[in-house]
Amino acid sequence: MSITRRSFIKSTGLALGYSLLPLSNLYSNSGQKQIGVCLVGLGNYSSTVLAPALQITKHCKLTGIVTGSPWKIPKWQKRYSIPDQNVYSYDTMHEIANNPEIDVIYIVVPTGLHAKYAIRAANAGKHVWCEKPMAKTEVECLSIIEACKKNKVKLTIGYRMQHELNTKTIIGWAKTKPYGNIKTLRAEIGYNVGNPARTWRLDSELGGGTMYDLGVYALNASRYTTGEEPISVSAKQMTTRPDIFTETDETTHFTLTFPSGAIAFGKTSVGKSMHELYVDCENGWYTLAPFSMYAGVQGKASDGTLLNIPVRNQQALQMDDDALSILNNTPVMVPGEEGMKDIRIVEAIYKAAKTDTEIKL
């Protein structure tokens, strides 16, 4: 159904007073310009994580929303002082091209819709922040990258862990190798979800599936921990609840082989709780447990080194880093090519599991 912004406001009974709200102040207390961010999709992650994080960022500010749910608009406008002219539907989001208060469009819709709306955002001439996983297929990832290049806008993928300080230490160790070469690593992430609701995460067409939703953290960790790209993958998928997981995987095991000889054992599930990255090297080991939760990421190494740098808010740090790349016109930390590399491997994991063969990459 096509719903215009005007009908959004009318259908929710907003008083004229909302249209008289002051324009967003796009300058911080220090007088530095802040990047105006528009969230596309007002689901749980936007409402409970990203929007609150934007209230404590230094270099960006929530200035607009795109939603297909008119009833959400009054609450968001009241809570975040978003004026009528910065409220859009999916059908009208192309009009953001004419809005100078919005610099970035952050795509936070189901994975299977990322490409559609990321391309629409790029065509509006706005920088694109796309939540992980980047898209459902490598072809879709490439289409996003090409649209952003064509419109000369920056593209970054929401891999918050690559901004997290303890994780950045491990990323650095991939080059310095303080404990020698990596022999094996184990990356496991999972939650015991007793009775998962019938949401898009159980819908294969929308990009649902445990490997896409959670497993991509273990996959990305395997890559940034080794600093290498895998050359082959094997995988197995299973479920203990076939009545629920009719289209998507409940549990996925995957094994990656790297050029150096390092081997990564990955596991992800919504049937078991687990959350650890463990790295075994020639001269020691190190671990992060948990390694990708929203808070409390910490770990240690075999020589007693602690990985416990506190991070106030991972998402705020991520968005500030990405805003600075725009303000300073510098390369983004996590470009679209990084997201596409993971999706290429995710597709290979599903193929390997289906055919029960090792896939060369």
Side-chain angles (χ1 to χ4, degrees), residues 31-94:
Q32 184 181 24
K33 185 182 185 304
Q34 292 179 297
I35 293 298
V37 178
C38 176
L39 294 176
V40 178
L42 306 184
N44 183 66
Y45 194 60
S46 284
S47 61
T48 65
V49 181
L50 292 178
L54 279 163
Q55 308 313 300
I56 60 174
T57 52
K58 296 179 180 178
H59 306 293
C60 43
K61 181 179 178 67
L62 176 60
T63 56
I65 55 174
V66 174
T67 181
S69 304
W71 59 269
K72 294 182 180 181
I73 297 172
K75 180 177 69 174
W76 278 74
Q77 286 195 302
K78 183 177 181 180
R79 181 172 295 175
Y80 299 113
S81 300
I82 299 172
D84 288 353
Q85 63 266 27
N86 290 4
V87 177
Y88 299 86
S89 73
Y90 293 108
D91 291 334
T92 63
M93 68 175 284
H94 62 278

Short mmCIF file of all heavy atoms in Angstrom, two decimals, residues 31-94:
data_model
loop_
_atom_site.label_atom_id
_atom_site.label_comp_id
_atom_site.label_asym_id
_atom_site.label_seq_id
_atom_site.Cartn_x
_atom_site.Cartn_y
_atom_site.Cartn_z
N GLY A 31 30.37 23.12 18.77
CA GLY A 31 30.20 23.87 17.53
C GLY A 31 30.56 23.08 16.29
O GLY A 31 30.44 23.58 15.18
N GLN A 32 31.00 21.82 16.47
CA GLN A 32 31.36 20.99 15.32
C GLN A 32 30.10 20.41 14.68
O GLN A 32 29.18 19.99 15.37
CB GLN A 32 32.28 19.85 15.74
CG GLN A 32 32.76 19.00 14.57
CD GLN A 32 33.66 17.87 15.04
OE1 GLN A 32 33.60 17.45 16.18
NE2 GLN A 32 34.50 17.37 14.15
N LYS A 33 30.06 20.40 13.36
CA LYS A 33 28.90 19.87 12.66
C LYS A 33 28.74 18.39 12.96
O LYS A 33 29.72 17.65 13.03
CB LYS A 33 29.03 20.06 11.15
CG LYS A 33 27.79 19.62 10.38
CD LYS A 33 27.95 19.78 8.88
CE LYS A 33 26.64 19.45 8.16
NZ LYS A 33 26.12 18.12 8.44
N GLN A 34 27.51 17.97 13.15
CA GLN A 34 27.20 16.56 13.34
C GLN A 34 26.53 16.01 12.08
O GLN A 34 25.83 16.73 11.38
CB GLN A 34 26.26 16.38 14.54
CG GLN A 34 26.91 16.71 15.89
CD GLN A 34 25.94 16.53 17.03
OE1 GLN A 34 24.93 17.22 17.11
NE2 GLN A 34 26.24 15.60 17.93
N ILE A 35 26.75 14.74 11.84
CA ILE A 35 26.17 14.09 10.69
C ILE A 35 24.71 13.72 11.01
O ILE A 35 24.44 13.07 12.02
CB ILE A 35 26.97 12.82 10.34
CG1 ILE A 35 28.38 13.19 9.85
CG2 ILE A 35 26.23 11.98 9.30
CD1 ILE A 35 28.39 14.03 8.60
N GLY A 36 23.78 14.13 10.16
CA GLY A 36 22.38 13.80 10.35
C GLY A 36 22.08 12.40 9.84
O GLY A 36 22.36 12.07 8.69
N VAL A 37 21.51 11.56 10.71
CA VAL A 37 21.26 10.16 10.40
C VAL A 37 19.76 9.88 10.34
O VAL A 37 19.01 10.27 11.23
CB VAL A 37 21.91 9.23 11.45
CG1 VAL A 37 21.60 7.76 11.16
CG2 VAL A 37 23.42 9.46 11.51
N CYS A 38 19.35 9.17 9.30
CA CYS A 38 17.96 8.73 9.14
C CYS A 38 17.92 7.21 9.24
O CYS A 38 18.60 6.52 8.48
CB CYS A 38 17.41 9.20 7.81
SG CYS A 38 15.72 8.63 7.45
N LEU A 39 17.13 6.69 10.17
CA LEU A 39 16.99 5.25 10.34
C LEU A 39 15.87 4.72 9.45
O LEU A 39 14.75 5.22 9.49
CB LEU A 39 16.69 4.91 11.80
CG LEU A 39 17.78 5.21 12.82
CD1 LEU A 39 17.28 4.90 14.24
CD2 LEU A 39 19.05 4.43 12.54
N VAL A 40 16.19 3.70 8.68
CA VAL A 40 15.20 3.06 7.80
C VAL A 40 14.81 1.73 8.43
O VAL A 40 15.59 0.78 8.44
CB VAL A 40 15.76 2.84 6.39
CG1 VAL A 40 14.72 2.13 5.51
CG2 VAL A 40 16.17 4.16 5.77
N GLY A 41 13.61 1.66 8.96
CA GLY A 41 13.15 0.47 9.67
C GLY A 41 13.23 0.73 11.17
O GLY A 41 14.31 0.96 11.71
N LEU A 42 12.07 0.72 11.84
CA LEU A 42 12.02 1.07 13.26
C LEU A 42 11.71 -0.14 14.12
O LEU A 42 10.93 -0.07 15.07
CB LEU A 42 10.98 2.18 13.48
CG LEU A 42 11.15 3.44 12.63
CD1 LEU A 42 10.12 4.49 13.02
CD2 LEU A 42 12.56 4.01 12.74
N GLY A 43 12.32 -1.26 13.78
CA GLY A 43 12.16 -2.48 14.56
C GLY A 43 12.96 -2.44 15.85
O GLY A 43 13.42 -1.39 16.29
N ASN A 44 13.16 -3.61 16.44
CA ASN A 44 13.78 -3.70 17.76
C ASN A 44 15.18 -3.10 17.81
O ASN A 44 15.51 -2.37 18.74
CB ASN A 44 13.83 -5.16 18.20
CG ASN A 44 14.39 -5.32 19.59
OD1 ASN A 44 13.81 -4.89 20.57
ND2 ASN A 44 15.56 -5.96 19.69
N TYR A 45 16.01 -3.39 16.80
CA TYR A 45 17.40 -2.90 16.86
C TYR A 45 17.45 -1.39 16.76
O TYR A 45 18.21 -0.74 17.48
CB TYR A 45 18.22 -3.54 15.74
CG TYR A 45 19.72 -3.35 15.92
CD1 TYR A 45 20.38 -3.85 17.04
CD2 TYR A 45 20.48 -2.68 14.97
CE1 TYR A 45 21.75 -3.67 17.21
CE2 TYR A 45 21.85 -2.50 15.12
CZ TYR A 45 22.48 -3.00 16.25
OH TYR A 45 23.83 -2.82 16.42
N SER A 46 16.63 -0.81 15.90
CA SER A 46 16.60 0.65 15.79
C SER A 46 16.06 1.29 17.05
O SER A 46 16.62 2.26 17.56
CB SER A 46 15.74 1.08 14.60
OG SER A 46 16.41 0.89 13.37
N SER A 47 14.95 0.73 17.56
CA SER A 47 14.27 1.38 18.67
C SER A 47 14.96 1.21 20.01
O SER A 47 14.99 2.13 20.82
CB SER A 47 12.82 0.87 18.77
OG SER A 47 12.80 -0.53 19.00
N THR A 48 15.55 0.03 20.26
CA THR A 48 16.13 -0.22 21.58
C THR A 48 17.65 -0.05 21.62
O THR A 48 18.22 0.05 22.71
CB THR A 48 15.80 -1.64 22.07
OG1 THR A 48 16.41 -2.61 21.21
CG2 THR A 48 14.30 -1.86 22.09
N VAL A 49 18.30 0.00 20.45
CA VAL A 49 19.76 0.07 20.44
C VAL A 49 20.29 1.30 19.69
O VAL A 49 20.98 2.14 20.26
CB VAL A 49 20.37 -1.21 19.83
CG1 VAL A 49 21.90 -1.13 19.85
CG2 VAL A 49 19.90 -2.44 20.61
N LEU A 50 19.97 1.42 18.40
CA LEU A 50 20.57 2.48 17.60
C LEU A 50 20.08 3.88 17.99
O LEU A 50 20.90 4.80 18.14
CB LEU A 50 20.31 2.23 16.12
CG LEU A 50 21.02 1.02 15.51
CD1 LEU A 50 20.62 0.86 14.04
CD2 LEU A 50 22.54 1.15 15.63
N ALA A 51 18.78 4.04 18.13
CA ALA A 51 18.26 5.37 18.47
C ALA A 51 18.80 5.85 19.82
O ALA A 51 19.27 7.00 19.92
CB ALA A 51 16.74 5.38 18.46
N PRO A 52 18.79 5.03 20.88
CA PRO A 52 19.40 5.47 22.13
C PRO A 52 20.90 5.77 21.99
O PRO A 52 21.40 6.72 22.60
CB PRO A 52 19.16 4.29 23.08
CG PRO A 52 17.92 3.64 22.54
CD PRO A 52 18.06 3.75 21.05
N ALA A 53 21.61 4.96 21.20
CA ALA A 53 23.05 5.19 21.01
C ALA A 53 23.31 6.52 20.33
O ALA A 53 24.28 7.21 20.63
CB ALA A 53 23.66 4.04 20.20
N LEU A 54 22.43 6.89 19.41
CA LEU A 54 22.60 8.17 18.70
C LEU A 54 22.46 9.37 19.64
O LEU A 54 22.90 10.47 19.31
CB LEU A 54 21.59 8.27 17.56
CG LEU A 54 21.99 7.53 16.28
CD1 LEU A 54 20.79 7.33 15.36
CD2 LEU A 54 23.11 8.28 15.55
N GLN A 55 21.86 9.15 20.80
CA GLN A 55 21.73 10.25 21.75
C GLN A 55 23.03 10.54 22.50
O GLN A 55 23.16 11.59 23.13
CB GLN A 55 20.61 9.94 22.77
CG GLN A 55 19.29 9.55 22.15
CD GLN A 55 18.85 10.46 21.02
OE1 GLN A 55 18.67 11.66 21.22
NE2 GLN A 55 18.70 9.89 19.82
N ILE A 56 23.99 9.62 22.41
CA ILE A 56 25.25 9.83 23.12
C ILE A 56 26.44 9.90 22.17
O ILE A 56 27.59 9.93 22.62
CB ILE A 56 25.50 8.75 24.19
CG1 ILE A 56 25.55 7.35 23.55
CG2 ILE A 56 24.43 8.80 25.27
CD1 ILE A 56 25.94 6.25 24.53
N THR A 57 26.19 9.92 20.87
CA THR A 57 27.28 10.07 19.92
C THR A 57 27.78 11.52 19.93
O THR A 57 27.05 12.44 20.26
CB THR A 57 26.84 9.69 18.49
OG1 THR A 57 25.64 10.41 18.17
CG2 THR A 57 26.59 8.21 18.37
N LYS A 58 29.02 11.69 19.53
CA LYS A 58 29.62 13.02 19.47
C LYS A 58 29.49 13.64 18.08
O LYS A 58 29.40 14.86 17.96
CB LYS A 58 31.10 12.94 19.84
CG LYS A 58 31.39 12.51 21.27
CD LYS A 58 32.89 12.45 21.51
CE LYS A 58 33.22 12.01 22.93
NZ LYS A 58 34.69 11.91 23.14
N HIS A 59 29.49 12.80 17.06
CA HIS A 59 29.63 13.31 15.70
C HIS A 59 28.42 13.06 14.81
O HIS A 59 28.46 13.37 13.62
CB HIS A 59 30.88 12.70 15.05
CG HIS A 59 32.12 12.90 15.86
ND1 HIS A 59 32.69 14.14 16.05
CD2 HIS A 59 32.89 12.01 16.55
CE1 HIS A 59 33.77 14.01 16.81
NE2 HIS A 59 33.91 12.73 17.12
N CYS A 60 27.35 12.49 15.36
CA CYS A 60 26.15 12.29 14.55
C CYS A 60 24.90 12.46 15.41
O CYS A 60 24.97 12.46 16.64
CB CYS A 60 26.16 10.94 13.85
SG CYS A 60 26.72 9.53 14.82
N LYS A 61 23.78 12.60 14.73
CA LYS A 61 22.53 12.89 15.41
C LYS A 61 21.37 12.29 14.63
O LYS A 61 21.35 12.31 13.40
CB LYS A 61 22.35 14.41 15.50
CG LYS A 61 21.08 14.89 16.21
CD LYS A 61 21.04 16.40 16.26
CE LYS A 61 19.76 16.91 16.93
NZ LYS A 61 19.72 16.57 18.35
N LEU A 62 20.39 11.74 15.34
CA LEU A 62 19.18 11.20 14.71
C LEU A 62 18.31 12.35 14.22
O LEU A 62 17.84 13.16 15.02
CB LEU A 62 18.40 10.34 15.71
CG LEU A 62 17.06 9.78 15.22
CD1 LEU A 62 17.27 8.88 14.00
CD2 LEU A 62 16.38 9.01 16.35
N THR A 63 18.13 12.44 12.90
CA THR A 63 17.35 13.55 12.35
C THR A 63 16.16 13.10 11.52
O THR A 63 15.32 13.93 11.17
CB THR A 63 18.24 14.45 11.46
OG1 THR A 63 18.84 13.65 10.43
CG2 THR A 63 19.31 15.13 12.28
N GLY A 64 16.06 11.80 11.18
CA GLY A 64 14.94 11.37 10.35
C GLY A 64 14.63 9.90 10.53
O GLY A 64 15.43 9.13 11.08
N ILE A 65 13.43 9.50 10.09
CA ILE A 65 13.01 8.11 10.16
C ILE A 65 12.25 7.73 8.89
O ILE A 65 11.61 8.57 8.26
CB ILE A 65 12.12 7.83 11.38
CG1 ILE A 65 10.91 8.78 11.40
CG2 ILE A 65 12.91 7.91 12.67
CD1 ILE A 65 9.90 8.47 12.51
N VAL A 66 12.36 6.45 8.53
CA VAL A 66 11.57 5.87 7.45
C VAL A 66 10.88 4.65 8.04
O VAL A 66 11.53 3.77 8.60
CB VAL A 66 12.45 5.44 6.26
CG1 VAL A 66 11.60 4.72 5.21
CG2 VAL A 66 13.14 6.65 5.64
N THR A 67 9.56 4.57 7.90
CA THR A 67 8.83 3.47 8.49
C THR A 67 7.60 3.11 7.66
O THR A 67 7.05 3.97 6.95
CB THR A 67 8.39 3.79 9.94
OG1 THR A 67 7.69 2.66 10.49
CG2 THR A 67 7.49 5.02 9.98
N GLY A 68 7.19 1.88 7.76
CA GLY A 68 5.95 1.44 7.13
C GLY A 68 4.84 1.28 8.15
O GLY A 68 3.79 0.75 7.84
N SER A 69 5.08 1.74 9.37
CA SER A 69 4.12 1.61 10.47
C SER A 69 3.74 2.99 10.99
O SER A 69 4.41 3.54 11.87
CB SER A 69 4.72 0.78 11.61
OG SER A 69 5.14 -0.49 11.13
N PRO A 70 2.66 3.58 10.47
CA PRO A 70 2.27 4.94 10.86
C PRO A 70 2.09 5.12 12.36
O PRO A 70 2.37 6.20 12.89
CB PRO A 70 0.95 5.15 10.11
CG PRO A 70 1.04 4.24 8.94
CD PRO A 70 1.79 3.04 9.41
N TRP A 71 1.67 4.07 13.06
CA TRP A 71 1.42 4.20 14.49
C TRP A 71 2.68 4.45 15.31
O TRP A 71 2.62 4.90 16.46
CB TRP A 71 0.70 2.95 15.02
CG TRP A 71 1.46 1.68 14.82
CD1 TRP A 71 1.40 0.84 13.76
CD2 TRP A 71 2.40 1.08 15.72
NE1 TRP A 71 2.24 -0.24 13.91
CE2 TRP A 71 2.86 -0.12 15.12
CE3 TRP A 71 2.90 1.43 16.97
CZ2 TRP A 71 3.80 -0.95 15.72
CZ3 TRP A 71 3.84 0.61 17.57
CH2 TRP A 71 4.28 -0.57 16.96
N LYS A 72 3.85 4.15 14.72
CA LYS A 72 5.10 4.37 15.45
C LYS A 72 5.53 5.85 15.41
O LYS A 72 6.34 6.28 16.24
CB LYS A 72 6.22 3.52 14.84
CG LYS A 72 6.03 2.02 15.02
CD LYS A 72 7.20 1.25 14.43
CE LYS A 72 7.01 -0.26 14.60
NZ LYS A 72 8.14 -1.04 14.06
N ILE A 73 5.02 6.59 14.47
CA ILE A 73 5.51 7.95 14.24
C ILE A 73 5.35 8.88 15.44
O ILE A 73 6.32 9.56 15.83
CB ILE A 73 4.85 8.56 12.99
CG1 ILE A 73 5.24 7.76 11.76
CG2 ILE A 73 5.24 10.03 12.81
CD1 ILE A 73 4.50 8.15 10.50
N PRO A 74 4.16 8.98 16.08
CA PRO A 74 4.03 9.93 17.20
C PRO A 74 5.03 9.69 18.32
O PRO A 74 5.61 10.65 18.86
CB PRO A 74 2.59 9.71 17.67
CG PRO A 74 1.89 9.11 16.50
CD PRO A 74 2.89 8.28 15.79
N LYS A 75 5.27 8.41 18.65
CA LYS A 75 6.20 8.10 19.73
C LYS A 75 7.62 8.54 19.37
O LYS A 75 8.32 9.13 20.20
CB LYS A 75 6.18 6.59 20.02
CG LYS A 75 7.12 6.16 21.12
CD LYS A 75 7.00 4.68 21.42
CE LYS A 75 7.53 3.82 20.29
NZ LYS A 75 7.55 2.38 20.64
N TRP A 76 8.03 8.26 18.14
CA TRP A 76 9.38 8.63 17.72
C TRP A 76 9.53 10.15 17.63
O TRP A 76 10.56 10.70 18.03
CB TRP A 76 9.71 7.97 16.39
CG TRP A 76 10.16 6.55 16.53
CD1 TRP A 76 9.38 5.47 16.83
CD2 TRP A 76 11.50 6.06 16.43
NE1 TRP A 76 10.15 4.33 16.91
CE2 TRP A 76 11.45 4.66 16.66
CE3 TRP A 76 12.72 6.65 16.15
CZ2 TRP A 76 12.58 3.86 16.62
CZ3 TRP A 76 13.87 5.84 16.10
CH2 TRP A 76 13.79 4.47 16.34
N GLN A 77 8.52 10.82 17.13
CA GLN A 77 8.61 12.28 17.03
C GLN A 77 8.70 12.92 18.41
O GLN A 77 9.47 13.86 18.62
CB GLN A 77 7.41 12.83 16.27
CG GLN A 77 7.46 12.58 14.77
CD GLN A 77 6.48 13.42 14.01
OE1 GLN A 77 5.28 13.36 14.26
NE2 GLN A 77 6.97 14.21 13.08
N LYS A 78 7.89 12.42 19.33
CA LYS A 78 7.89 12.99 20.67
C LYS A 78 9.20 12.71 21.39
O LYS A 78 9.77 13.60 22.04
CB LYS A 78 6.72 12.42 21.47
CG LYS A 78 6.58 13.00 22.87
CD LYS A 78 5.35 12.44 23.58
CE LYS A 78 5.21 13.03 24.97
NZ LYS A 78 4.00 12.49 25.67
N ARG A 79 9.69 11.49 21.26
CA ARG A 79 10.90 11.11 22.00
C ARG A 79 12.15 11.78 21.45
O ARG A 79 13.05 12.15 22.21
CB ARG A 79 11.05 9.59 21.96
CG ARG A 79 12.27 9.06 22.71
CD ARG A 79 12.24 7.56 22.79
NE ARG A 79 11.10 7.10 23.58
CZ ARG A 79 10.79 5.80 23.73
NH1 ARG A 79 11.51 4.86 23.14
NH2 ARG A 79 9.75 5.45 24.46
N TYR A 80 12.22 11.93 20.11
CA TYR A 80 13.46 12.41 19.51
C TYR A 80 13.32 13.73 18.76
O TYR A 80 14.23 14.14 18.04
CB TYR A 80 14.02 11.34 18.55
CG TYR A 80 14.32 10.05 19.27
CD1 TYR A 80 13.60 8.89 19.00
CD2 TYR A 80 15.33 9.98 20.24
CE1 TYR A 80 13.87 7.70 19.66
CE2 TYR A 80 15.60 8.80 20.91
CZ TYR A 80 14.87 7.66 20.62
OH TYR A 80 15.15 6.49 21.29
N SER A 81 12.21 14.42 18.95
CA SER A 81 11.99 15.75 18.36
C SER A 81 12.23 15.75 16.85
O SER A 81 12.92 16.60 16.30
CB SER A 81 12.89 16.79 19.03
OG SER A 81 12.61 16.88 20.40
N ILE A 82 11.64 14.77 16.18
CA ILE A 82 11.79 14.65 14.73
C ILE A 82 10.63 15.40 14.07
O ILE A 82 9.47 15.05 14.27
CB ILE A 82 11.80 13.18 14.29
CG1 ILE A 82 12.98 12.45 14.93
CG2 ILE A 82 11.86 13.07 12.77
CD1 ILE A 82 12.98 10.96 14.71
N PRO A 83 10.91 16.42 13.27
CA PRO A 83 9.83 17.20 12.64
C PRO A 83 9.15 16.44 11.52
O PRO A 83 9.70 15.47 10.97
CB PRO A 83 10.57 18.43 12.10
CG PRO A 83 11.96 17.97 11.87
CD PRO A 83 12.25 16.95 12.95
N ASP A 84 7.95 16.89 11.17
CA ASP A 84 7.17 16.21 10.14
C ASP A 84 7.95 16.04 8.84
O ASP A 84 7.85 15.00 8.18
CB ASP A 84 5.90 17.03 9.82
CG ASP A 84 4.88 16.95 10.94
OD1 ASP A 84 5.10 16.18 11.89
OD2 ASP A 84 3.87 17.68 10.86
N GLN A 85 8.71 17.06 8.46
CA GLN A 85 9.39 17.03 7.17
C GLN A 85 10.52 16.01 7.12
O GLN A 85 11.08 15.75 6.05
CB GLN A 85 9.92 18.41 6.77
CG GLN A 85 10.98 18.98 7.72
CD GLN A 85 10.38 19.88 8.79
OE1 GLN A 85 9.22 19.71 9.16
NE2 GLN A 85 11.17 20.84 9.25
N ASN A 86 10.85 15.40 8.26
CA ASN A 86 11.90 14.38 8.30
C ASN A 86 11.34 12.98 8.53
O ASN A 86 12.08 12.05 8.86
CB ASN A 86 12.92 14.71 9.40
CG ASN A 86 13.75 15.93 9.06
OD1 ASN A 86 13.53 16.58 8.05
ND2 ASN A 86 14.70 16.26 9.92
N VAL A 87 10.04 12.82 8.33
CA VAL A 87 9.38 11.53 8.46
C VAL A 87 8.98 11.03 7.07
O VAL A 87 8.31 11.75 6.32
CB VAL A 87 8.13 11.63 9.35
CG1 VAL A 87 7.40 10.28 9.42
CG2 VAL A 87 8.51 12.08 10.76
N TYR A 88 9.40 9.79 6.75
CA TYR A 88 9.17 9.26 5.41
C TYR A 88 8.59 7.84 5.48
O TYR A 88 8.79 7.12 6.46
CB TYR A 88 10.48 9.21 4.61
CG TYR A 88 11.12 10.55 4.40
CD1 TYR A 88 11.97 11.09 5.37
CD2 TYR A 88 10.87 11.30 3.25
CE1 TYR A 88 12.57 12.34 5.18
CE2 TYR A 88 11.46 12.54 3.06
CZ TYR A 88 12.30 13.06 4.03
OH TYR A 88 12.88 14.29 3.85
N SER A 89 7.91 7.45 4.42
CA SER A 89 7.51 6.06 4.23
C SER A 89 8.52 5.42 3.29
O SER A 89 9.37 6.11 2.70
CB SER A 89 6.10 5.99 3.63
OG SER A 89 6.14 6.37 2.26
N TYR A 90 8.42 4.11 3.10
CA TYR A 90 9.32 3.45 2.15
C TYR A 90 9.08 3.95 0.73
O TYR A 90 10.01 4.00 -0.08
CB TYR A 90 9.14 1.93 2.23
CG TYR A 90 9.60 1.35 3.55
CD1 TYR A 90 8.68 0.89 4.48
CD2 TYR A 90 10.95 1.29 3.86
CE1 TYR A 90 9.10 0.37 5.70
CE2 TYR A 90 11.38 0.77 5.07
CZ TYR A 90 10.45 0.32 5.99
OH TYR A 90 10.87 -0.19 7.19
N ASP A 91 7.84 4.33 0.44
CA ASP A 91 7.52 4.82 -0.91
C ASP A 91 8.03 6.23 -1.16
O ASP A 91 8.19 6.63 -2.31
CB ASP A 91 6.01 4.78 -1.14
CG ASP A 91 5.47 3.37 -1.24
OD1 ASP A 91 6.25 2.48 -1.61
OD2 ASP A 91 4.29 3.16 -0.92
N THR A 92 8.24 7.00 -0.09
CA THR A 92 8.64 8.40 -0.27
C THR A 92 10.08 8.66 0.14
O THR A 92 10.54 9.81 0.10
CB THR A 92 7.73 9.35 0.53
OG1 THR A 92 7.86 9.07 1.94
CG2 THR A 92 6.28 9.18 0.12
N MET A 93 10.84 7.61 0.51
CA MET A 93 12.18 7.86 1.02
C MET A 93 13.12 8.46 -0.02
O MET A 93 14.13 9.06 0.33
CB MET A 93 12.80 6.61 1.65
CG MET A 93 13.13 5.48 0.70
SD MET A 93 14.00 4.10 1.53
CE MET A 93 15.67 4.78 1.73
N HIS A 94 12.77 8.35 -1.31
CA HIS A 94 13.59 8.98 -2.34
C HIS A 94 13.59 10.51 -2.19
O HIS A 94 14.50 11.19 -2.65
CB HIS A 94 13.09 8.61 -3.74
CG HIS A 94 11.70 9.06 -4.03
ND1 HIS A 94 10.59 8.36 -3.60
CD2 HIS A 94 11.24 10.16 -4.68
CE1 HIS A 94 9.50 9.00 -3.99
NE2 HIS A 94 9.86 10.09 -4.64
#
